[in-house]
Amino acid sequence: MSLLITGGTVVGPSGSYPADVLVEGEKIAALFVPGGGPDGVETVDATGKYVIPGGIDAHTHMELPFGGTNASDTFDTGTRAAAFGGTTTIIDFAVQRTGEVVQDGLAAWHAKAEGNCHVDYAFHMILGGVDDDSLKAMDQLVTDEGISSFKLFMAYPGVFYSDDGQILRAMQKARDNGAMIMMHAENGIAIDVLVQQALSRGETDPVHHGLTRPEAMEAEATHRAIRLAEVAQDCPLYIVHLSASQALEQVAAARDAGRNVFAETCPQYLYLTLEDQLGAPGFEGAKWVCSTPLRSGKEHHHRDLWKGLRSNDLAIVSTDHCPFCFKDQKELGLGDFSKIPNGIGGVEHRVDLVYQGVVDGKLSLERWVETISTTPARMFGLYPRKGVIAPGSDADIVLYDPAGRTRISAETHHMNMDHSAYEGYEIAGKVDTVISRGTVVVAGGAYHGRKGHGRYLPRGLSSYLV
Ligand code: DUC
Ligand code: ZN
Ligand code: ZN
């Protein structure tokens, strides 16, 4: 089936220009000067709209078992919500627990996702135990399974934590096979001491989650990860969910030195604060317990992170979508903040929240598309199949209406969450139409997609490797 998208402005990292886009089957077939496309084809009117490549959320945790419960979005509910928000690809994290065979963890994630996704999906692999077997498995996953990125944790001792020796070994393996090491950079050993000290003083409210994970512990771990990657002959390193100015300084210094170091941030670190959200009265702040934590609004984190996005020291905005309902899930930590499941849901709102940065003059239109789609595709080996409006690429296309408005609320969102981290936020822009591999899945606010439409995407190596 053919579809001609007419009258819109195509936006990509290198510019914006009026063009009509012809879709044939699942692919983009051609771009035409306005009015230059074929006759007799079904058309979608994009007049006044931006035509952008579908969003790629490179950091989600559907159904993650964590903190004594499971993330509340399944691959079904979470990818449907993603589609509503203009995200047509997610990269979720398959998990190898300590003592588990890596390939078994991966098989479990395929079983959760297969046949249940509304948009295309790929996997990174969390290594919960670095040993001879998992190092060998890294090669097999890169070569045979289309998984070219591995997440390690400097936090969460006893759960996902790797020590420096394990990290170095995994980095050396990645240097050899071309994979990317993704790092949760917080000093978990020191943080656990601070947590115990706070609890013994009777400090049990959610805000203490943030206060016991200070900026210095993120900056220190970021620095350590960068130096370990240096010892591993400049293994490619990607810092996930960067939240703090001092951690960004570490990344910027490494990049200025020409190092293979990249980083992402998330909307929660661009908009929300320790005082206003995490420090909300009573137990309310539990809604915003995530790690890395929200940072103080009295410092300059938001300003610095937006600047980092402009300068490319921050390459990508992902969500770290890891939703838990307030009732029964966040409530597990009533009376003890350390038992609140860590995570914020936002897969539905990333495209809008970063677009608000364009409206506010913090980001160019082109950089918006680059940080939410093109760079994630390049960073994680999906380009040019994804992340660009060009002949031969998958027809994952969003028509974005700059004259529309989006009001975020738990009453209207599609994520399986009983609250919203962004309740009441108004965005000056709106996802209008979403096309996934040539199929219109969202139009006029209505859903036309289906569970099972989304396919697994084996990935290649990062385009940014040197
Ligand atoms: N941080 C979170 O907030 N949730 C899931 C895992 C993580 O690192
Ligand atoms: Zn993490
Ligand atoms: Zn995460």
Side-chain angles (χ1 to χ4, degrees):
M1 199 188 102
S2 301
L3 203 62
L4 186 63
I5 301 166
T6 60
T9 300
V10 172
V11 185
S14 53
S16 312
Y17 50 94
D20 294 351
V21 180
L22 180 66
V23 172
E24 276 176 3
E26 298 194 345
K27 299 282 182 187
I28 295 169
L31 272 67
F32 298 94
V33 291
D39 295 327
V41 175
E42 188 185 335
T43 59
V44 178
D45 181 11
T47 305
K49 316 241 166 43
Y50 297 129
V51 180
I52 66 170
I56 300 173
D57 192 338
H59 190 155
T60 69
H61 297 286
M62 305 304 172
E63 304 180 41
L64 176 72
F66 197 56
T69 183
N70 293 319
S72 57
D73 262 321
T74 61
F75 279 90
D76 176 2
T77 62
T79 57
R80 184 171 178 274
F84 264 107
T87 286
T88 51
T89 300
I90 62 161
I91 314 181
D92 204 83
F93 286 81
V95 178
Q96 175 228 7
R97 261 164 246 290
T98 318
E100 192 177 66
V101 174
V102 172
Q103 285 88 347
D104 290 349
L106 176 59
W109 243 257
H110 273 297
K112 289 181 206 235
E114 203 178 340
N116 290 320
C117 290
H118 292 251
V119 297
D120 289 352
Y121 62 99
F123 295 137
H124 313 285
M125 190 84 217
I126 286 175
L127 294 181
V130 176
D131 57 20
D132 290 347
D133 289 340
S134 52
L135 289 168
K136 220 181 282 164
M138 285 173 74
D139 284 336
Q140 199 256 325
L141 263 57
V142 170
T143 312
D144 303 333
E145 306 289 349
I147 293 178
S148 53
S149 41
F150 297 86
K151 184 178 179 189
L152 301 173
F153 287 78
M154 301 169 107
Y156 302 130
V159 186
F160 291 134
Y161 177 80
S162 290
D163 65 29
D164 289 355
Q166 291 174 309
I167 290 169
L168 181 61
R169 291 185 79 198
M171 285 177 164
Q172 288 168 334
K173 174 57 79 178
R175 175 73 268 185
D176 286 348
N177 66 24
M180 180 79 76
I181 293 294
M182 305 174 78
M183 190 62 76
H184 180 128
E186 284 188 295
N187 186 327
I189 300 284
I191 284 169
D192 273 10
V193 171
L194 296 176
V195 168
Q196 289 316 316
Q197 290 172 345
L199 290 173
S200 67
R201 287 192 299 268
E203 296 166 355
T204 59
D205 284 347
V207 73
H208 294 288
H209 171 81
L211 297 174
T212 54
R213 307 182 89 89
E215 175 179 24
M217 295 291 86
E218 184 181 349
E220 183 277 327
T222 304
H223 175 79
R224 188 156 33 100
I226 289 168
R227 296 311 296 255
L228 288 167
E230 180 184 332
V231 173
Q233 296 178 336
D234 208 16
C235 140
L237 173 66
Y238 179 95
I239 306 291
V240 295
H241 48 55
L242 189 147
S243 70
S245 304
Q246 289 176 16
L248 179 58
E249 283 168 19
Q250 297 297 328
V251 170
R255 292 181 57 76
D256 287 350
R259 296 281 311 284
N260 244 341
V261 173
F262 311 94
E264 68 174 18
T265 192
C266 312
Q268 54 267 37
Y269 307 120
L270 295 166
Y271 285 99
L272 310 177
T273 68
L274 181 135
E275 292 85 4
D276 295 336
Q277 279 81 28
L278 197 52
F283 190 64
E284 192 73 8
K287 293 175 180 172
W288 294 279
V289 164
C290 60
S291 297
T292 53
L294 302 185
R295 298 295 175 190
S296 173
K298 296 182 185 136
E299 296 155 1
H300 303 120
H301 305 286
H302 291 178
R303 182 199 69 188
D304 293 347
L305 296 187
W306 281 110
K307 180 164 161 264
L309 282 173
R310 283 197 297 281
S311 67
N312 201 34
D313 287 329
L314 292 170
I316 288 174
V317 182
S318 308
T319 57
D320 197 7
H321 178 77
C322 191
F324 296 102
C325 287
F326 189 73
K327 177 120 193 53
D328 295 338
Q329 294 197 298
K330 291 288 186 178
E331 282 176 354
L332 291 168
L334 267 169
D336 180 350
F337 70 84
S338 73
K339 296 202 164 57
I340 301 168
N342 285 203
I344 282 185
V347 75
E348 190 168 347
H349 303 309
R350 182 185 61 117
V351 170
D352 287 323
L353 286 163
V354 184
Y355 181 72
Q356 185 63 42
V358 177
V359 176
D360 295 342
K362 292 174 173 150
L363 225 52
S364 70
L365 200 55
E366 289 76 16
R367 188 72 186 140
W368 167 54
V369 172
E370 195 166 29
T371 55
I372 61 161
S373 179
T374 310
T375 299
R378 288 179 169 147
M379 187 71 71
F380 295 113
L382 290 170
Y383 190 88
R385 179 169 177 188
K386 305 289 189 188
V388 61
I389 306 273
S393 294
D394 280 0
D396 289 358
I397 300 171
V398 173
L399 309 191
Y400 199 82
D401 183 2
R405 285 195 84 77
T406 303
R407 185 169 187 283
I408 300 177
S409 172
E411 281 166 27
T412 47
H413 74 200
H414 302 87
M415 300 176 288
N416 185 32
M417 287 173 74
D418 60 2
H419 64 279
S420 170
Y422 305 95
E423 185 67 41
Y425 271 60
E426 291 251 354
I427 309 292
K430 190 175 177 31
V431 172
D432 177 86
T433 302
V434 181
I435 300 170
S436 166
R437 288 195 342 270
T439 299
V440 175
V441 293
V442 176
Y447 195 66
H448 304 282
R450 69 173 173 84
K451 176 169 132 172
H453 167 79
R455 286 198 200 128
Y456 176 66
L457 299 165
R459 296 182 292 115
L461 299 182
S462 173
S463 307
Y464 296 118
L465 268 188
V466 288

